[in-house]
Amino acid sequence: MTNRPENRVLIFDTTLRDGEQSPGATMTHAEKLEIAEMLDEMGVDIIEAGFPIASEGDFKAVAEIARQSKQATICGLARANFKDIDRCWEAVKHARSPRIHTFIGTSPLHRAIPNLTQDEMAERIHDTVTHARNLCDNVQWSPMDATRTEWDYLRRVVEIAIKAGATTINIPDTVGYTAPVESADLIRRLIADVPGADEIVFATHCHNDLGMATANALAAVEGGARQIECTINGLGERAGNTALEEVVMALKVRHDIMPYDTGVDSRKIMNISRRVATVSGFPVQFNKAIVGKNAFAHESGIHQDGMLKNAETFEIMRPEDVGLSATNLVMGKHSGRAALRSKLKELGFELADNQLNDVFVRFKELADRKKEVYDEDLIALVKQNDAVSDRLKLKSLKVICGTEGPQHAEMVLLVDGEEKSIDATGDGPVDATFNAIKALFPHEARLQLYQVHAVTEGTDAQATVSVRLEEEGRIGTGQAADTDTVVASAKAYINAVNRLLVRREKTAPGADVKNVGYLDAGE
Ligand code: KIV
Ligand code: ZN
């Protein structure tokens, strides 16, 4: 039996691996390092930092995160072959506490792709887990698509992995198919039936295709799992993963019913949620549990009245518990640099002096145009500072629009530092603007999504624009804000192109998480 307290649940965050795998959620090297540092500081037990074999960039990010880690165990993902495992070890070995996570799809559908019989796969599991364990004494093994694997086979391969030295067995619900009662039952049966199961930690890894990921993860804990795999904001493939903030707060708020502890400081949740939304380009939906803009907002008269009399009438947790400040300091044109720095810190942005200066200049410009600058305005301003890549930059834009078409966009764009200009036309100001970008930087990407929303109220509100582009299966999402909707649209489009270019570079040698083959079964 492990000597960890019975009621301690380990939090394994995979924002930088499974989260980054969601289409369009590309993070730069610096952004990954920053998120890893925040995860470490908030008390996450294990950080899955990436998939080292997937690309040179992933390898470097995992290695650097391993080097900078302070408390957390740093884990890398590897398929069931020696080359992946060796590469993973080369990256994570720099950590104070490294872990190799190796996996293989065990369900009939997944076995069919590399065309392995049950026995062949069992042998491969034995060999690869043994190999990983010879390199590292902390090895996690996952039977991908466990919830659709035949019970007898699942039981058999879990036993093989434990005997070969796995110290954590993760049971993934890869396609988000299971339901809470089943999820608890599966872990309970494995612990009861598999020899050696009480020597290791069982983990749960749930996807959200049916909206049950968090419920399934919590149920697995009731069944005996002591590691929850999750991501910030529930980022992840398709409908995403179990959200870290949901499981941490559920275990905190319902502690008398589910007496399990995590080591996560919940007051850091809001900051990291905002930061991940920014760097991943995936905004948090307004009504998202815990971290959505409306999670602590009350509008109806009854609710407001109740809240004023006793906050507990309509809130099961306090905003401060997740790091939302109770006092909302509104910034305006008289606010100084120190106030801006402290406000940004509260919002989760610690900027270097030169970055702060840059944001301050734009904050003053905005404050001259708007009476009050809200948190959302500031977040939008900082987001603009997050240059993903500097290849394309908007220098100036003048748009002529109105009832008489065609509309014109006069644009000056910096492409790799070189100034290019054009006067393009289009069917409306946004179309003309996008045509200008396409003419100045020709590309084949198709516009998949264009969305505008106001970040604050009033006609002087900043508009936040989201753009999603697709090019040969690669996705680039961009976001930008400005009080001028067309300028925000241009910046968002340029941001999406820049992200696409980062993705293009990552995939150049044919090696990327979204490009790696199924198993490399020939090795
Ligand atoms: O969803 C899944 O099965 C995974 C595995 C790699 C653990 O992400
Ligand atoms: Zn997953």
Side-chain angles (χ1 to χ4, degrees):
M1 192 68 186
T2 53
N3 54 11
R4 189 171 299 109
E6 247 305 281
N7 65 346
R8 175 72 159 83
V9 172
L10 299 170
I11 296 295
F12 175 110
D13 182 276
T14 182
T15 307
L16 298 173
R17 199 278 298 167
D18 212 324
E20 217 226 358
Q21 265 172 246
S22 41
T26 313
M27 296 180 211
T28 64
H29 183 79
E31 288 165 349
K32 287 185 185 178
L33 258 54
E34 184 194 341
I35 298 298
E37 199 178 342
M38 292 176 93
L39 290 167
D40 202 348
E41 271 173 14
M42 81 191 286
V44 160
D45 300 284
I46 305 112
I47 299 172
E48 187 162 53
F51 194 174
I53 196 88
S55 71
E56 198 47 39
D58 255 56
F59 178 84
K60 284 196 183 132
V62 178
E64 200 47 48
I65 290 170
R67 281 195 193 91
Q68 78 168 20
S69 59
K70 296 194 181 78
Q71 295 297 324
T73 293
I74 304 301
C75 174
L77 186 68
R79 291 167 299 179
N81 68 66
F82 288 11
K83 204 169 146 200
D84 270 43
I85 292 170
D86 291 344
R87 190 77 175 141
C88 178
W89 174 240
E90 283 308 306
V92 296
K93 71 178 184 193
H94 307 285
R96 198 187 50 86
S97 165
R99 175 181 291 189
I100 296 174
H101 176 193
T102 180
F103 75 101
I104 194 165
T106 51
S107 66
L109 280 165
H110 284 259
R111 290 198 303 267
I113 297 178
N115 197 18
L116 294 179
T117 64
Q118 288 197 354
D119 288 346
E120 284 164 347
M121 185 169 280
E123 194 182 330
R124 184 179 268 260
I125 292 165
H126 170 267
D127 294 350
T128 48
V129 174
T130 305
H131 183 69
R133 188 57 207 264
N134 285 337
L135 295 170
C136 179
D137 59 14
N138 188 341
V139 172
Q140 169 166 330
W141 180 73
S142 296
M144 185 164 72
D145 206 13
T147 52
R148 294 191 302 170
T149 299
E150 307 92 321
W151 164 250
D152 284 341
Y153 191 57
L154 183 66
R155 199 181 153 282
R156 174 178 167 203
V157 287
V158 167
E159 182 176 348
I160 290 172
I162 294 176
K163 284 213 174 105
T167 43
T168 300
I169 298 286
N170 175 38
I171 301 298
D173 182 29
T174 306
V175 291
Y177 173 75
T178 200
V181 172
E182 270 170 35
S183 175
D185 199 44
L186 186 57
I187 302 282
R188 200 173 282 126
R189 285 173 75 197
L190 285 168
I191 293 177
D193 278 29
V194 177
D198 54 355
E199 305 283 330
I200 55 105
V201 172
F202 273 87
T204 176
H205 177 113
C206 301
H207 280 266
N208 203 31
D209 300 64
L210 293 173
M212 293 194 279
T214 295
N216 289 337
L218 293 170
V221 170
E222 302 274 30
R226 288 293 176 272
Q227 175 178 302
I228 297 180
E229 307 212 353
C230 48
T231 58
I232 302 294
N233 299 339
L235 201 64
E237 299 256 26
R238 308 182 309 280
N241 292 61
T242 300
L244 178 144
E245 60 277 7
E246 291 174 9
V247 286
V248 167
M249 290 316 290
L251 293 179
K252 199 176 160 111
V253 170
R254 292 170 54 80
H255 201 263
D256 46 346
I257 300 151
M258 291 190 76
Y260 305 103
D261 299 317
T262 74
V264 172
D265 178 353
S266 68
R267 291 164 307 174
K268 305 222 182 241
I269 282 177
M270 214 48 153
N271 281 353
I272 193 161
S273 161
R274 286 173 167 161
R275 198 65 194 126
V276 167
T278 302
V279 301
S280 66
F282 276 55
V284 175
Q285 78 197 46
F286 280 14
N287 59 343
K288 175 116 180 109
I290 323 284
V291 290
K293 188 174 149 63
N294 288 357
F296 293 93
H298 303 272
E299 191 156 320
S300 85
I302 292 183
H303 284 220
Q304 285 187 347
D305 191 38
M307 283 298 295
L308 289 172
K309 292 186 172 125
N310 179 356
E312 283 181 28
T313 48
F314 288 105
E315 277 182 4
I316 54 170
M317 59 197 128
R318 293 171 311 156
E320 303 90 280
D321 295 340
V322 298
L324 264 180
S325 69
T327 56
N328 199 2
L329 179 66
V330 179
M331 306 285 291
K333 67 176 174 186
H334 301 297
S335 309
R337 205 176 297 255
L340 179 67
R341 187 191 285 280
S342 118
K343 183 74 188 177
L344 289 175
K345 191 164 178 217
E346 195 183 289
L347 294 174
F349 302 102
E350 292 210 43
L351 304 188
D353 286 348
N354 59 337
Q355 290 171 308
L356 182 76
N357 288 345
D358 196 29
V359 175
F360 187 66
V361 170
R362 284 183 294 110
F363 158 68
K364 282 287 177 184
E365 280 167 15
L366 184 66
D368 275 340
R369 283 184 277 150
K370 284 184 101 235
K371 267 200 304 294
E372 288 178 336
V373 179
Y374 297 100
D375 289 0
E376 289 76 9
D377 291 315
L378 289 175
I379 293 168
L381 273 185
V382 178
K383 277 183 189 174
Q384 285 171 38
N385 230 35
D386 277 340
V388 176
S389 143
D390 289 331
R391 287 201 60 192
L392 264 62
K393 270 187 173 167
L394 181 68
K395 181 140 192 246
S396 67
L397 175 66
K398 186 170 166 194
V399 176
I400 302 165
C401 63
T403 49
E404 306 295 320
Q407 285 70 25
H408 283 256
E410 291 169 27
M411 179 179 287
V412 183
L413 192 66
L414 291 174
V415 180
D416 294 324
E418 193 191 326
E419 206 168 289
K420 298 189 172 199
S421 54
I422 197 165
D423 179 352
T425 55
D427 191 5
V430 174
D431 192 46
T433 301
F434 289 179
N435 285 344
I437 301 169
K438 278 185 245 165
L440 295 175
F441 185 77
H443 55 273
E444 296 297 317
R446 279 185 325 106
L447 182 68
Q448 279 197 331
L449 173 109
Y450 170 71
Q451 228 171 38
V452 184
H453 50 262
V455 287
T456 47
E457 280 150 32
T459 48
D460 65 350
Q462 289 206 90
T464 289
V465 175
S466 303
V467 164
R468 182 177 157 120
L469 298 174
E470 188 267 338
E471 181 199 64
E472 292 172 8
R474 289 181 289 252
I475 305 282
T477 49
Q479 266 196 4
D482 199 282
T483 47
D484 184 319
T485 310
V486 185
V487 172
S489 304
K491 288 180 180 167
Y493 191 104
I494 289 168
N495 192 234
V497 174
N498 280 328
R499 283 184 183 267
L500 212 46
L501 295 175
V502 173
R503 170 97 20 232
R504 240 195 231 170
E505 268 167 36
K506 266 184 111 177
T507 53
D512 178 70
V513 180
K514 289 150 190 163
N515 266 13
V516 283
Y518 193 77
L519 174 64
D520 290 351
E523 287 171 81

